[in-house]
Amino acid sequence: MPQVTKNNEDFDVVKYFLQLLEDNRDLSSGIAAIKTLLMILEKKQFGTIHILHTTMREAVAAMRNTDLSIAAIVSAGELFCRFITLSLDDKHMEECRQIMLHRGKIFLTKLLNSRQVISQQAQRFISDGCRILTHSRSRVVLQALIAASQNKKSFHVFVTQGGVGNSGEEMVQELQAAGIDSTLILDSATGYVMESVDFVMVGAEAVVESGGIINRIGSYTMGLCAREMKKPFYVLAESFKFSRLYPLNQRDLPNEYKYSRKHLNDVSKLHPLVDYTPPAYITLLFTDLGILTPSAVSDELIKLYM
């Protein structure tokens, strides 16, 4: 298991990363990855920028080998490293490290507020008496719906089970605990329920260059149904999930994104965990960078990686 040395002690990257997620269930894997990289930056001394980059890449590789969705880990790690290492020419390494540490903390603080920003943007789209369909459990969608309820709006949410696991049931329990009317439905009931809802609101594990999304399996089916029945399909996603992937179809998604790392040697009989929803099926994306059309995502990615 990859380790780095901090203050003459071994720092277990994966252990620290997984402990962050265990301690805070609402923490996304992307934010946990950034916190882990920031801890490495804070505790370890680096002789050169090259060594720093190598250490960060090894840490991201270690975290992506855990049995978690890697989309947000990869994109968050790339963006974090890009942001902290901009314009560091003609400076001593320790000065560079302090600048990077300062930038990293600013970057993390901004991202920790991203759900709140997205939640506020979504409020005017959630009207009193509306009926909403969502897929499984999404932290950012949950926060937006709770905020709308706290603003004295009354609405009903249909939540799909979300395939393997009980994430849909957890979402319904959390909504009901917040006083929000909600109903758990089978994934296969998406088409049946679609005609009675006003719009679809889902999260995303990654937003790709085309403006499409990678999300829990069944999202693509929901997008197809929404488009056929002319229902808006809204995506809520933080900017650290913006990825430089450009899939054209389901086969273009790397296997490590679609399947558990435990079984990558033979995926012929495995059920994919995520699918790709093309931009044609998405109405708007609510992000901490603003409300975007799918076609605007590539421009925002260019700005993020400039």
Side-chain angles (χ1 to χ4, degrees):
M1 186 173 290
Q3 297 178 330
V4 297
T5 301
K6 64 164 191 170
N7 297 341
N8 299 320
E9 296 178 1
D10 285 336
F11 174 54
D12 192 318
V13 172
V14 172
K15 183 178 179 180
Y16 183 82
F17 170 67
L18 294 176
Q19 190 64 51
L20 286 173
L21 293 170
E22 184 178 334
D23 292 344
N24 184 355
R25 187 171 174 273
D26 283 330
L27 192 68
S28 76
S29 58
I31 294 293
I34 289 171
K35 285 190 170 188
T36 302
L37 295 176
L38 195 57
M39 178 61 72
I40 294 171
L41 186 61
E42 182 175 343
K43 300 299 182 181
K44 182 174 171 59
Q45 301 296 321
F46 301 94
T48 65
I49 293 291
H50 175 72
I51 294 174
L52 182 146
H53 275 300
T54 300
T55 303
M56 293 296 186
R57 283 197 298 269
E58 289 174 351
V60 171
M63 289 185 282
R64 68 189 288 172
N65 280 331
T66 58
D67 203 29
L68 295 167
S69 170
I70 72 166
I73 296 172
V74 173
S75 58
E78 286 184 356
L79 285 170
F80 177 80
C81 292
R82 177 64 179 162
F83 182 80
I84 66 171
T85 57
L86 283 173
S87 304
L88 291 175
D89 297 334
D90 303 322
K91 292 182 175 64
H92 295 297
M93 189 58 220
E94 181 56 27
E95 185 182 358
C96 287
R97 194 178 74 87
Q98 291 301 324
I99 292 171
M100 288 186 287
L101 197 55
H102 177 67
R103 289 176 178 176
K105 290 177 179 178
I106 292 173
F107 187 72
L108 177 60
T109 299
K110 178 183 176 182
L111 292 183
L112 287 172
N113 192 47
S114 58
R115 285 186 200 161
Q116 179 64 31
V117 173
I118 295 168
S119 176
Q120 291 173 351
Q121 291 174 346
Q123 294 312 298
R124 62 190 177 96
F125 289 80
I126 304 174
S127 58
D128 201 42
C130 71
R131 293 159 69 87
I132 304 165
L133 175 60
T134 191
H135 188 38
S136 187
R137 183 180 187 270
S138 161
R139 300 175 186 90
V140 65
V141 171
L142 177 63
Q143 183 166 329
L145 294 175
I146 290 176
S149 178
Q150 291 172 343
N151 287 333
K152 309 302 181 184
K153 294 179 181 178
S154 177
F155 50 90
H156 193 98
V157 184
F158 294 91
V159 183
T160 57
Q161 287 181 331
V164 179
N166 61 346
S167 56
E169 293 178 22
E170 291 176 9
M171 183 75 165
V172 167
Q173 290 170 3
E174 289 167 309
L175 289 170
Q176 291 177 347
I180 300 171
D181 289 336
S182 54
T183 303
L184 182 68
I185 66 169
L186 296 172
D187 290 14
S188 55
T190 293
Y192 180 87
V193 170
M194 188 67 72
E195 66 180 24
S196 67
V197 302
D198 296 289
F199 59 87
V200 176
M201 182 174 283
V202 300
E205 294 190 11
V207 179
V208 299
E209 280 195 53
S210 65
I213 63 168
I214 299 171
N215 198 38
R216 180 180 284 263
I217 191 75
S219 301
Y220 178 41
T221 304
M222 193 172 282
L224 284 168
C225 290
R227 186 181 184 187
E228 180 64 26
M229 297 190 181
K230 298 178 173 55
K231 305 289 184 176
F233 188 94
Y234 300 134
V235 176
L236 277 58
E238 303 95 319
S239 60
F240 67 80
K241 295 180 177 178
F242 281 32
S243 171
R244 289 188 289 182
L245 285 176
Y246 203 112
L248 298 177
N249 51 45
Q250 309 302 328
R251 293 186 302 277
D252 281 348
L253 287 181
N255 281 345
E256 61 180 345
Y257 280 71
K258 293 188 288 189
Y259 304 105
S260 167
R261 248 70 67 215
K262 297 176 181 177
H263 308 291
L264 284 179
N265 290 334
D266 181 13
V267 300
S268 60
K269 297 180 180 179
L270 292 182
H271 191 291
L273 302 175
V274 300
D275 58 26
Y276 165 60
T277 303
Y281 301 100
I282 298 170
T283 308
L284 290 171
L285 297 104
F286 297 80
T287 78
D288 46 303
L289 303 176
I291 301 175
L292 308 174
T293 60
S295 61
V297 169
S298 60
D299 291 336
E300 293 300 326
L301 262 168
I302 292 171
K303 293 176 188 176
L304 287 171
Y305 283 95
M306 279 183 65

